[in-house]
């Protein structure tokens, strides 16, 4: 590979990696009839670097205090009835592995899933 080819390859990779980070959105769909929350993941890029936005949506009228836990990384937040709350991790470098995620709320509702990040 020539010097020019190596430079072009490096530029292509540098352009593709942020695009891959930004293009990934995943939702853990809960059955709305059981009242368990939905969890949505959105990757983004900011001036701090890669980040992860986790949005939790309530399917009950009861507001709740909830905890997000992903393999020991925890955040507490308030979830309004029939509302949603966003928890932001920034910077958040992808480790390219599965994370065991659990969102549990004091109204007895919870959602567990695995998310690759």
């Amino acid at each position: 590979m020539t010097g020019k080819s190596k430079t072009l390859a490096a530029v292509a990779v540098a352009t593709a990696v942020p695009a891959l980070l930004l293009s990934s959105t995943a939702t853990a769909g809960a059955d709305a009839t059981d009242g368990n929350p939905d969890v949505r993941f959105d990757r983004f890029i900011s001036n701090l670097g890669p980040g992860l936005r986790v949005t939790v949506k309530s399917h009950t009228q009861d507001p709740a205090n909830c905890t997000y836990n992903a393999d020991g990384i925890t955040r507490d937040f308030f979830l309004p009835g029939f509302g949603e709350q966003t928890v932001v991790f920034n910077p958040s470098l992808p480790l390219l592995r599965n994370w065991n995620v659990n969102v549990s709320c004091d109204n007895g509702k919870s959602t567990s899933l695995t998310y690759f990040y």
Side-chain angles (χ1 to χ4, degrees), residues 10-25 42-46 49-51 94 96 115 117:
V11 169
V13 169
T15 305
V17 169
L20 288 172
L21 287 172
L22 286 172
S23 67
S24 178
T25 298
D42 296 299
R43 298 175 185 185
F44 66 94
I45 299 289
S46 76
L96 305 177
Y115 180 65
Y117 183 69

Side-chain angles (χ1 to χ4, degrees), residues 34-106:
D34 66 10
N36 290 325
D38 283 335
V39 180
R40 177 183 166 142
F41 298 89
D42 296 299
R43 298 175 185 185
F44 66 94
I45 299 289
S46 76
N47 60 338
L48 297 175
L52 184 65
R53 196 176 291 116
V54 181
T55 303
V56 180
K57 182 177 180 180
S58 173
H59 291 288
T60 70
Q61 67 182 359
D62 301 320
N65 291 305
C66 302
T67 300
Y68 169 94
N69 184 319
D71 292 336
I73 297 172
T74 61
R75 295 282 171 90
D76 295 324
F77 60 95
F78 177 77
L79 186 60
F82 292 118
E84 62 182 41
Q85 186 63 262
T86 300
V87 180
V88 177
F89 299 92
N90 190 19
S92 174
L93 295 174
L95 298 180
L96 305 177
R97 70 174 185 89
N98 286 322
W99 291 82
N100 298 308
V101 177
N102 184 49
V103 174
S104 57
C105 301
D106 65 4

